[in-house]
């Protein structure tokens, strides 16, 4: 069990130790030792008081002694509880070294993997080469299939034994912190008041019928394009044809699936360039959005130290990210290699959402400087993105002359949002659902890959393009698995963002369809958002959620209301299709793969930039005309960086 002495260890205070010695750029061991000696004395005093109170209650159980052994300040109790959580760091040095070593090996397998390009024979990395090839509609599906297989061979397949060791060590270490396994530990971050896994399953069950509508419709459009021979009789979508290595976003097949391809609008990216926008313009426009809500401008340090563009002559990680430096002096930064495009405008607003969260809870104690739960931080940025990407908002900031008030226009708009957001949801669920089973021992190492594909086929309705076996380790082909990064937060955030969005729209006085709401310049919405952000994790997330939305539960209802016109369209469209709404919970059998064995891939010439039907696009019109170009089409290249 977790003891009172553990509670009072306050390991998070070591953060202050690091801060005291790092503030001046020093790692002076003498200063560090002096700090710890004083901390040790103070800790001994506090532990003595706690143990005395506990002893007195144990030998004389009275209400008075009960009160003395507990903090009357619930906020203080919460501070100590959060400070106590150091996870696997509680284990001894030998286990720490072994754990660090295996994690390094896992990361190295992933980060150094390269795959032979079947067209050129060159060895190429995942980014940018393979990602671009999977997204390119002109690359043949057979080449994408080879990339799909090659990436899994060169990443996941090589790390299976190490992952087994990682699970063994991680579970052993976390048991020393009082948890049964890593699954229980990860779930504890949500402070569940009921069975967390059942809560997630209920949420998925509520949403699945709507995902099925999208799945069947997309299948009905892709089957005639790619040919029925690559579609299994189980009605799964082949994993390699959806424009994404993990089929977690379907944004790159929008040109093949658009409900009303004849609808057209201007190129927003081109408009940004025509008006002379640069990265600073994009960040200033985002700042103005938050300022219009009353949340305040970015700090001087932000503008001085944020990296908006790729730095010259250095190796740089360009993954967009937001940083809190814990100085209590407004040092918050974004690192981003910005391109002047509509997708990057959305990304900029998303990252600035994180910065606003940092700013608003800066005055909280360090243990409370975090999202109310792990899904909140991601949901805040995505909530802002929902407002920013509305045609109505793009008109307000001068990037669109006017909206087109037609059902077809907005069905297309919602469909493009669905390819990005709704298609992701089952994938966001299944990664940790698989890991929980692994951590709890319900799935053994001999079942790793079959259990993974059971979930992908059952939940996501996706099947592999070639047979898979236990010689493979396909979970390891997704960064977050070897990276030991919990993933359920993205599943949670995809529902929370619509709850936040609907609540802020209501605060702003918006009337009309939810998908048209832009709460820009609403002080009422801003006040509500600011209050939620400022709380950080100082309260249970259910209390924070209730204050903003009126409910204590994560719910799919606002998401369903947002997409209702699209769901109505998909329902009618599917009635006119021969595609069933369901797919088998079981993956295709080996006999299907044997009977439809794909021919070997030959080296193909570089893709041609044509507009003919053979290019993989619809014949008889330009791509710009068929995809609603910038406002809608460009929106979808803002893929989930998950």
């Amino acid at each position: 069990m977790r003891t009172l002495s553990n509670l009072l260890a306050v390991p998070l205070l070591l953060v202050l130790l690091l801060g005291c010695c790092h503030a001046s750029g020093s790692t002076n061991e003498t200063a560090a030792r002096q700090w710890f000696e004083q901390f040790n004395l103070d800790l001994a005093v506090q532990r003595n008081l706690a143990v005395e109170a506990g002893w007195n209650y144990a030998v004389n159980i009275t209400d008075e002694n009960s009160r003395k052994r507990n903090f009357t300040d619930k906020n203080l109790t919460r501070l100590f509880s959060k400070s106590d959580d150091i996870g696997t760091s509680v284990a001894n040095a030998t286990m720490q070294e072994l754990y660090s070593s295996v994690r390094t090996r896992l990361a190295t397998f992933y980060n150094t993997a390269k795959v032979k390009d079947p067209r050129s024979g060159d060895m190429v990395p995942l980014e940018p080469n393979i990602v671009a090839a999977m997204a390119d509609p002109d690359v043949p599906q057979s080449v994408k299939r080879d990339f799909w297989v090659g990436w899994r061979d060169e990443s996941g397949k090589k790390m299976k034994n190490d992952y087994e060791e990682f699970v063994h060590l991680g579970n052993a270490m976390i048991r020393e912190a009082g948890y049964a396994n890593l699954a229980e530990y990860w779930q504890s971050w949500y402070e569940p008041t009921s069975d967390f896994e059942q809560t997630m399953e209920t949420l998925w069950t509520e949403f699945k019928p709507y995902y099925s509508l999208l799945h069947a419709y997309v299948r009905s459009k892709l089957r005639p394009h790619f040919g029925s021979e690559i579609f299994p009789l189980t009605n799964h979508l082949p994993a390699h044809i959806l424009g994404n290595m993990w089929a977690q976003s379907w944004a790159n097949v929008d040109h093949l699936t658009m409900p009303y391809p004849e609808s057209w609008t201007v190129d927003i990216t081109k408009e940004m360039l025509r008006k002379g926008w640069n990265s600073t313009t994009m960040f200033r426009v985002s700042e103005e959005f938050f300022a219009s809500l009353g949340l305040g401008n970015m700090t001087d340090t932000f503008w001085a130290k944020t990296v908006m563009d790729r730095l010259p002559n250095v190796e740089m990680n360009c993954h967009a990210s937001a940083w809190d430096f814990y100085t209590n002096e407004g040092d918050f930064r974004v690192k981003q290699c910005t391109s002047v495009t509509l997708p990057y405008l959305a990304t900029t607003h998303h990252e600035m959402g994180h910065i606003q969260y940092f700013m608003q809870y800066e005055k909280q104690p360090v243990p409370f400087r975090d999202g109310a739960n792990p899904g909140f931080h991601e949901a805040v940025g995505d909530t802002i993105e929902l407002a920013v990407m509305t045609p109505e908002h793009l008109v307000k900031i001068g990037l669109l002359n006017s909206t087109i008030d037609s059902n077809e226009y907005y069905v297309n708009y919602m469909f493009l949002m669905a390819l990005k957001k709704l298609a992701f949801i089952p994938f966001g669920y299944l990664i940790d659902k698989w890991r929980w089973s692994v951590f709890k021992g319900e799935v053994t190492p001999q079942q790793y890959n079959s259990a993974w594909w059971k979930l992908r086929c059952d939940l996501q309705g996706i099947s592999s393009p070639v047979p898979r076996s236990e010689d493979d380790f396909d979970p390891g082909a997704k960064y977050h698995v070897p990276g030991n990064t919990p993933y359920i937060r993205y599943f949670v955030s995809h529902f929370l963002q619509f709850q936040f969005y609907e609540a802020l729209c209501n605060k702003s006085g918006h009337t009309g369809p939810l998908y048209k709401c832009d709460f820009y310049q609403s002080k009422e919405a801003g006040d509500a958002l600011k209050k939620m952000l400022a709380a950080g994790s100082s309260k249970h997330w259910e209390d924070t959620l209730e204050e903003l939305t009126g409910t204590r539960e994560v719910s799919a209802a606002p998401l369903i209301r947002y997409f209702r016109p699209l769901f109505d369209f998909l329902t009618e469209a599917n009635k006119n299709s021969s595609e069933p709404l369901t797919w088998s919970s079981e993956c295709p059998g080996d006999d299907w793969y044997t009977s439809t064995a794909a021919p070997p891939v030959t080296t193909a010439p570089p893709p041609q930039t044509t507009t003919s039907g053979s290019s993989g696009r619809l014949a008889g019109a330009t791509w710009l005309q068929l995809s609603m170009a910038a406002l809608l089409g460009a929106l979808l290249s803002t893929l989930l960086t998950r």
Side-chain angles (χ1 to χ4, degrees):
M1 65 181 288
R2 308 181 76 192
T3 65
L4 184 60
S5 64
N6 281 339
L7 177 65
L8 291 177
V10 200
L12 190 78
L13 290 179
L14 292 178
V15 172
L16 300 179
L17 165 62
L18 296 176
C20 82
C21 303
H22 184 68
S24 63
S26 170
T27 56
N28 185 287
E29 291 186 5
T30 301
R33 189 175 295 107
Q34 290 173 346
W35 184 95
F36 197 88
E37 287 173 355
Q38 184 60 50
F39 167 72
N40 187 54
L41 292 172
D42 294 340
L43 180 61
V45 171
Q46 294 302 318
R47 280 194 170 182
N48 171 259
L49 294 173
V51 174
E52 286 280 6
W55 172 267
N56 291 337
Y57 178 76
V59 300
N60 184 15
I61 300 175
T62 65
D63 290 342
E64 177 65 18
N65 282 338
S66 177
R67 285 192 295 271
K68 288 180 178 178
R69 76 188 184 109
N70 293 304
F71 291 132
T72 57
D73 185 339
K74 298 302 181 184
N75 192 58
L76 189 60
T77 300
R78 186 171 177 81
L79 269 172
F80 273 90
S81 177
K82 281 189 167 289
S83 300
D84 177 51
D85 188 358
I86 60 171
T88 56
S89 298
V90 73
N92 63 52
T94 299
M95 294 189 73
Q96 292 286 354
E97 184 176 352
L98 291 171
Y99 192 59
S100 176
S101 178
V102 73
R103 290 186 63 181
T104 297
R105 293 197 301 272
L106 290 170
T108 300
F109 280 131
Y110 190 92
N111 292 329
T112 62
K114 291 187 177 182
V115 176
K116 184 177 180 179
D117 188 326
R119 301 164 296 179
S120 66
D122 296 336
M123 299 300 293
V124 296
L126 178 66
E127 295 188 70
N129 304 66
I130 301 174
V131 167
M134 297 297 288
D136 190 340
D138 292 320
V139 173
Q141 66 87 12
S142 57
V143 174
K144 294 182 179 182
R145 183 196 66 223
D146 275 20
F147 272 129
W148 189 96
V149 174
W151 174 248
R152 283 154 180 79
D153 285 347
E154 296 301 324
S155 59
K157 192 171 188 176
K158 296 182 176 182
M159 65 178 73
K160 182 177 181 180
N161 291 338
D162 281 315
Y163 194 78
E164 181 181 352
E165 182 181 354
F166 158 78
V167 172
H168 172 74
L169 286 170
N171 276 341
M173 294 167 73
I174 206 64
R175 281 194 288 270
E176 295 191 27
Y179 296 93
N181 49 58
L182 286 171
E184 183 181 289
Y185 175 56
W186 286 8
Q187 293 170 19
S188 73
W189 301 346
Y190 293 84
E191 304 175 89
T193 55
S194 58
D195 186 323
F196 182 77
E197 292 185 38
Q198 184 56 54
T199 299
M200 296 297 98
E201 180 67 22
T202 299
L203 193 58
W204 163 245
T205 301
E206 183 182 3
F207 170 72
K208 184 178 178 180
Y210 302 97
Y211 176 74
S212 299
L213 291 174
L214 180 66
H215 188 285
Y217 178 81
V218 169
R219 192 182 340 121
S220 74
K221 297 296 183 179
L222 297 185
R223 188 190 296 271
H225 177 80
F226 289 104
S228 293
E229 64 274 9
I230 71 168
F231 285 76
L233 301 179
T234 51
N235 295 320
H236 295 107
L237 287 166
H240 66 302
I241 66 170
L242 291 162
N244 178 273
M245 178 56 80
W246 308 276
Q248 69 182 60
S249 168
W250 304 347
N252 289 313
V253 296
D254 58 342
H255 61 289
L256 299 175
T257 55
M258 188 77 69
Y260 298 104
E262 67 280 2
S263 293
W264 178 85
T265 187
V266 299
D267 187 328
I268 300 298
T269 294
K270 185 180 293 184
E271 186 68 9
M272 293 167 68
L273 293 170
R274 187 186 70 81
K275 292 193 170 187
W277 282 39
N278 56 26
S279 58
T280 301
T281 310
M282 296 163 68
F283 275 86
R284 287 294 185 185
V285 166
S286 178
E287 177 187 49
E288 201 277 325
F289 182 95
F290 289 102
S292 81
L293 302 178
L295 269 66
N297 293 321
M298 298 295 105
T299 65
D300 292 341
T301 304
F302 173 87
W303 292 113
K305 296 186 176 181
T306 280
V307 175
M308 303 179 192
D309 304 290
R310 180 185 288 274
L311 298 175
N313 305 318
V314 297
E315 288 294 327
M316 179 179 170
N317 178 355
C318 276
H319 179 79
S321 54
W323 300 59
D324 181 352
F325 283 78
Y326 293 92
T327 63
N328 297 320
E329 297 177 353
D331 191 352
F332 314 108
R333 311 175 200 174
V334 167
K335 172 190 60 63
Q336 180 174 297
C337 300
T338 310
S339 297
V340 182
T341 63
L342 182 65
Y344 259 103
L345 181 62
T347 299
T348 300
H349 281 78
H350 177 93
E351 297 304 328
M352 294 283 267
H354 288 303
I355 297 297
Q356 277 291 340
Y357 218 152
F358 299 155
M359 290 171 60
Q360 300 307 324
Y361 62 49
E362 182 183 19
K363 301 306 179 185
Q364 290 283 358
V366 171
F368 292 161
R369 287 174 66 166
D370 204 350
N373 75 31
F376 269 60
H377 239 301
E378 297 301 326
V380 168
D382 286 346
T383 299
I384 302 303
E385 183 184 339
L386 285 170
V388 168
M389 299 313 295
T390 58
E392 286 73 15
H393 186 75
L394 295 176
V395 169
K396 292 175 184 176
I397 60 176
L399 294 178
L400 192 65
N401 290 330
S402 63
T403 60
I404 302 172
D405 193 15
S406 72
N407 179 67
E408 291 81 3
Y409 181 92
Y410 281 100
V411 165
N412 275 354
Y413 173 73
M414 284 181 282
F415 180 76
L416 293 169
M417 294 291 284
L419 291 180
K420 176 185 175 182
K421 293 184 178 291
L422 303 190
F424 172 82
I425 288 175
F427 186 76
Y429 179 35
L430 69 86
I431 290 184
D432 279 359
K433 186 174 177 66
W434 176 83
R435 284 194 285 195
W436 297 334
S437 296
V438 168
F439 294 155
K440 291 187 293 183
E442 297 169 354
V443 170
T444 68
Q446 294 73 36
Q447 301 167 320
Y448 277 175
N449 216 47
S450 58
W452 171 260
W453 278 105
K454 169 64 175 175
L455 291 174
R456 294 211 69 187
C457 291
D458 183 16
L459 301 184
Q460 203 178 3
I462 301 295
S463 63
S464 62
V466 299
R468 312 307 286 160
S469 74
E470 290 303 331
D471 289 334
D472 302 302
F473 183 60
D474 294 332
K478 177 63 178 172
Y479 165 78
H480 300 73
V481 174
N484 192 33
T485 306
Y487 208 74
I488 198 68
R489 65 174 183 257
Y490 297 115
F491 175 76
V492 172
S493 75
H494 272 64
F495 296 101
L496 283 176
Q497 65 186 264
F498 288 94
Q499 292 181 264
F500 295 171
Y501 181 64
E502 183 178 60
L504 295 176
C505 288
N506 289 338
K507 298 286 186 184
S508 73
H510 171 77
T511 59
L514 183 58
Y515 56 83
K516 291 186 177 182
C517 169
D518 172 24
F519 47 79
Y520 176 64
Q521 296 181 328
S522 170
K523 293 297 191 294
E524 293 78 10
D527 289 345
L529 179 59
K530 184 173 185 176
K531 182 179 180 181
M532 184 188 81
L533 301 182
S537 62
S538 64
K539 296 181 286 189
H540 193 284
W541 67 265
E542 291 179 357
D543 296 330
T544 303
L545 181 65
E546 184 177 31
E547 288 183 7
L548 178 65
T549 68
T551 180
R552 299 180 64 82
E553 298 180 350
V554 181
S555 170
L559 177 151
I560 293 168
R561 285 192 285 271
Y562 179 97
F563 285 105
R564 174 55 65 189
L566 174 64
F567 294 146
D568 291 342
F569 166 83
L570 294 175
T571 298
E572 292 303 313
N574 287 331
K575 288 179 180 178
N576 299 319
S577 167
S578 60
E579 294 287 348
L581 290 177
T582 59
W583 54 87
S584 173
S585 62
E586 300 296 328
C587 294
D590 290 343
D591 55 341
W592 181 81
Y593 289 105
T594 302
S595 65
T596 59
V601 178
T602 58
T603 301
Q608 301 296 310
T609 54
T610 70
T611 56
S612 66
S614 63
S615 70
R617 305 181 186 275
L618 299 176
T622 66
W623 165 230
L624 181 63
Q625 292 168 323
L626 293 179
S627 68
M628 297 180 68
L631 171 60
L632 306 179
L635 168 62
L636 286 151
S637 60
T638 314
L639 303 180
L640 297 170
T641 312
R642 315 272 201 265

